[in-house]
Amino acid sequence: MPDSDKTQRPRLLIENWLPIAEIGEESVRERRSMSSLPPTYYLHVWWARRPLVASRAAILASLLPADADREMFLHILGIHGDPVGARKRIQEATREGVRLGKEAYGYQRAFKYLLDEGEIRWIYDQTKIISCAKDLRVLDPTAGGGSIPFESVRLGLTSIADELNPVAWLLLKCTIEFPLKYGDAVLKRLSSLSKEFLTRACSKQDQFYPPEPQQNCVPDGYLWSRTITCPYCNGLVPLSPNWRLDGKGKGVRLVPHTENPNHRHCTFEIVEKLKEQSAGTVKGGDGQCPYPDCGRGIHGDEIKAQAQAGKMGQQLYAIVYKETKIVGYTKTGKPKVKKIRGFRAPRPEDDVEEQVRKALEAKMPEWQARNIVPDEEVPEGLETNEPLRYGMPLWRDMFAPRQLYGHCVSVEVFQDMVEELRQKNGGELSELDKAAMAYIAIAIDKMLNYNSRM
């Protein structure tokens, strides 16, 4: 094609200039606090999520002409100071033992900045220089976790996102499409349906979660170890690389019981100091017998062989609870309430394995008929060989019995609610209910990552 026939357009800002250092520091800052990530990160786990500030920068710099106001560009990104200089000050202060705190940068993290109408209008005015389109569209054909379309929408642009993976497709719907389409209506409907879901799901499982012995306490987690039998002394070995419970020294001490040669086992005590904790019983795939009259190493091949023979079990070694305490009073006399995390050793009442086994046995035929139980085989591959090595050939094996029961109950309740909502609406799920139930589906799926043996 002759040069004279080529379509000419002004150069773009991204072709001439991009503040890489500033964007890079803000991208790191965005991920630095694991307890205060962008909201999109909490919806569901996804791989390689792009930083929001970098996504906004890439979109904006690809739309603006090369001579666009650079200060305005940085302001719209949410970079309202000098992040590179701030980082240097933080590093220097840290070397001197000084902590500058959350205000060291002088402005909130960039991803929190929302544009006003004037800034959105400025973007449109600038883009007219490079395009005569009335409705500028941003296309992301491999949108993944949705950072680019999310930021495109926040810039006031029409966004088209595509993704082949069904999980990512649903995340895009829930992150961008449903909030834009339904606004607060979907939040209200989700609140209503999720309360109903929790009421039903909890009522089917309460029997397997004994109340806490102390007043004003509720269980918050159950910590399990996998177990094998020592091939030398026949003792039951709980496997854990360490027995820490928090970063302040609280942990677990194993108490070996050797009085009955046919039932050598360990119980557990909660200790307050690191030096009081027991040594780990597994490292690099090899085990270590905790019984003082044995104490021999257990080769990893022996551990795998027992697991593949169905002889690997599990043992509850600590319960996490939340205690509600009054920590003070306001000037008006109202109590200041705080929930404090604590740990305790298991009691006999906490052992509900037999009850769970019977409940699973009773429900399994129905759940399998309804395709609720994940009993498909785990395929061999680089990412799936590990569970296969340790005697978990089916996806359901990834969960301890109580975990499996809880997940299956959640799916059962979900399916029942969907069917009931369909019937109430003449056989079809309303679009608003469909959106609200999608968020519940994501919550159920996300729980698999936290509540599993892996």
Side-chain angles (χ1 to χ4, degrees):
M1 181 186 294
D3 286 347
S4 59
D5 292 336
K6 290 182 179 178
T7 301
Q8 298 295 315
R9 61 156 174 79
R11 286 179 66 81
L12 303 172
L13 184 61
I14 199 170
E15 295 172 314
N16 275 24
W17 172 82
L18 203 62
I20 296 297
E22 288 82 357
I23 294 170
E25 176 55 32
E26 274 297 335
S27 296
V28 173
R29 186 184 175 202
E30 182 177 301
R31 292 294 304 272
R32 193 169 282 134
S33 173
M34 296 305 293
S35 61
S36 183
L37 294 169
T40 51
Y41 286 69
Y42 294 112
L43 188 62
H44 197 282
V45 175
W46 189 249
W47 297 273
R49 282 190 186 273
R50 305 303 176 216
L52 294 183
V53 65
S55 299
R56 185 183 294 195
I59 296 165
L60 194 58
S62 299
L63 295 174
L64 297 177
D67 61 352
D69 187 324
R70 297 182 179 184
E71 290 299 319
M72 186 66 163
F73 174 82
L74 286 166
H75 187 82
I76 289 176
L77 290 189
I79 300 176
H80 299 165
D82 179 8
V84 177
R87 188 63 196 159
K88 289 178 180 177
R89 288 196 303 274
I90 292 169
Q91 290 172 338
E92 290 172 3
T94 301
R95 282 194 292 267
E96 295 172 3
V98 177
R99 294 183 67 85
L100 297 183
K102 293 188 294 185
E103 307 303 322
Y105 285 84
Y107 63 95
Q108 66 180 358
R109 288 179 295 164
F111 76 85
K112 292 189 174 184
Y113 183 67
L114 297 176
L115 281 66
D116 60 33
E117 290 184 8
E119 289 164 336
I120 291 175
R121 197 161 46 246
W122 179 83
I123 294 172
Y124 270 93
D125 290 342
Q126 292 291 307
T127 56
K128 287 177 184 176
I129 298 171
I130 61 168
S131 172
C132 60
K134 293 181 180 179
D135 183 13
L136 202 61
R137 295 167 184 256
V138 175
L139 169 65
D140 186 353
T142 54
S147 294
I148 288 175
F150 181 75
E151 284 302 321
S152 171
V153 166
R154 293 217 293 170
L155 288 170
L157 305 167
T158 300
S159 184
I160 301 171
D162 191 23
E163 179 55 58
L164 291 176
N165 186 293
V167 176
W169 174 86
L170 184 60
L171 292 180
L172 290 170
K173 290 266 186 184
C174 292
T175 303
I176 304 163
E177 183 177 315
F178 294 154
L180 282 174
K181 190 174 182 180
Y182 302 111
D184 286 346
V186 71
L187 182 61
K188 292 175 182 176
R189 190 57 176 148
L190 171 61
S191 177
S192 173
L193 291 176
S194 60
K195 286 176 183 175
E196 175 66 18
F197 172 84
L198 286 171
T199 298
R200 295 193 192 189
C202 291
S203 69
K204 292 173 180 282
Q205 301 175 70
D206 282 345
Q207 58 184 313
F208 305 127
Y209 295 88
E212 283 300 299
Q214 293 177 262
Q215 285 189 338
N216 303 319
C217 292
V218 293
D220 194 53
Y222 297 82
L223 305 182
W224 298 77
S225 65
R226 303 305 302 274
T227 60
I228 58 165
T229 300
C230 175
Y232 307 108
C233 72
N234 207 38
L236 190 68
V237 180
L239 298 173
S240 179
N242 63 71
W243 298 99
R244 290 193 298 270
L245 293 175
D246 64 17
K248 300 177 182 178
K250 188 162 288 190
V252 172
R253 177 167 57 208
L254 276 60
V255 181
H257 297 270
T258 59
E259 53 273 15
N260 184 348
N262 296 318
H263 184 50
R264 292 164 65 93
H265 67 286
C266 291
T267 55
F268 307 94
E269 295 178 348
I270 306 299
V271 295
E272 302 296 326
K273 297 178 181 178
L274 183 63
K275 64 181 180 180
E276 297 173 333
Q277 297 174 23
S278 290
T281 51
V282 64
K283 183 178 181 181
D286 296 327
Q288 183 71 37
C289 179
Y291 298 92
D293 58 351
C294 178
R296 297 177 69 174
I298 305 169
H299 198 276
D301 290 342
E302 171 66 23
I303 297 175
K304 292 171 187 172
Q306 289 193 32
Q308 290 165 11
K311 296 179 180 178
M312 178 176 269
Q314 61 273 328
Q315 187 175 7
L316 183 64
Y317 68 85
I319 288 85
V320 189
Y321 62 86
K322 289 282 183 73
E323 182 179 5
T324 303
K325 282 188 174 182
I326 297 174
V327 294
Y329 294 88
T330 64
K331 291 181 180 178
T332 59
K334 291 183 178 179
K336 294 180 180 178
V337 176
K338 187 175 182 181
K339 292 194 174 183
I340 299 171
R341 187 175 66 170
F343 304 90
R344 66 171 177 82
R347 307 167 298 162
E349 300 95 305
D350 298 311
D351 183 3
V352 295
E353 285 199 80
E354 183 58 22
Q355 298 97 300
V356 172
R357 184 192 66 77
K358 289 180 179 178
L360 269 174
E361 193 176 79
K363 292 292 292 184
M364 196 56 66
E366 177 193 347
W367 283 346
Q368 288 178 320
R370 293 176 60 173
N371 196 28
I372 287 175
V373 183
D375 52 8
E376 300 87 354
E377 290 186 359
V378 177
E380 286 198 37
L382 291 176
E383 300 297 329
T384 56
N385 274 343
E386 204 64 14
L388 292 174
R389 288 191 191 104
Y390 287 93
M392 293 185 276
L394 307 178
W395 288 113
R396 60 179 282 183
D397 298 328
M398 301 284 184
F399 310 100
R402 186 163 63 176
Q403 292 171 338
L404 180 64
Y405 189 88
H407 292 313
C408 289
V409 162
S410 295
V411 177
E412 178 185 52
V413 170
F414 180 88
Q415 289 184 355
D416 290 345
M417 288 180 64
V418 167
E419 186 55 34
E420 290 169 19
L421 291 169
R422 278 200 181 108
Q423 296 305 317
K424 288 179 182 178
N425 198 49
E428 286 291 333
L429 206 62
S430 73
E431 291 302 308
L432 184 61
D433 284 348
K434 194 181 293 184
M437 291 303 288
Y439 290 104
I440 295 178
I442 282 179
I444 293 171
D445 191 58
K446 189 176 179 182
M447 278 301 298
L448 300 177
N449 298 316
Y450 294 96
N451 207 26
S452 74
R453 284 172 166 165
M454 302 300 286

